[in-house]
Amino acid sequence: MILTDDLMHRLVQAARVARERAYAPYSRFAVGAALLDERGRLHAGCNIENAAYPQGQCAEATAIGHLVLAGGIRILAAAVVGVADQPVTPCGGCRQRLREFGADDLPVWTADLQRITARFTLGQLLPASFGPEHLKS
Ligand code: THU
């Protein structure tokens, strides 16, 4: 699959729409994420907080759940949308979650409501990572 800028922008837009659904009454920090699977499908998610704070779920985790439920196997690209003074990058735990289904060259774009704020690869965000292939020897 060719990851054109147009496709990446569609992914960002899907993350913006998902962000509108964020359930974040405690932090009031709404996040949306969207993932492209190996069949060219988009799967989105928002953060879902909880009165028992540690039980809150990041937008990326919600999106991964949707991808897996739809039968997706690989993540080919990811977008994360949040409004802050600096790019809203996936937290450490979500970098590892993305790693389960994505390669080092997986593009991870961050954006706010108007523009792309940063472009990374998963390998940049999570270097020398541990993944499923470590368990295959
Ligand atoms: N959050 C995400 O959903 N994804 C990120 O990439 C960063 C943080 C959420 C978790 C929590 O609900 C809120 O943002 C504030 O940390």
Side-chain angles (χ1 to χ4, degrees), residues 23-24 27 29-32 46-49 56-60 80 88-91 94:
Y23 177 75
S27 73
F29 192 76
V31 181
C46 58
N47 53 333
I48 305 169
E49 298 186 343
Q57 173 162 299
C58 285
E60 294 89 332
V80 181
V88 176
T89 48
C91 76
C94 285

Side-chain angles (χ1 to χ4, degrees), residues 65-82:
H66 284 149
L67 179 141
V68 170
L69 184 63
I73 293 168
R74 300 292 296 167
I75 299 174
L76 301 191
V80 181
V81 168

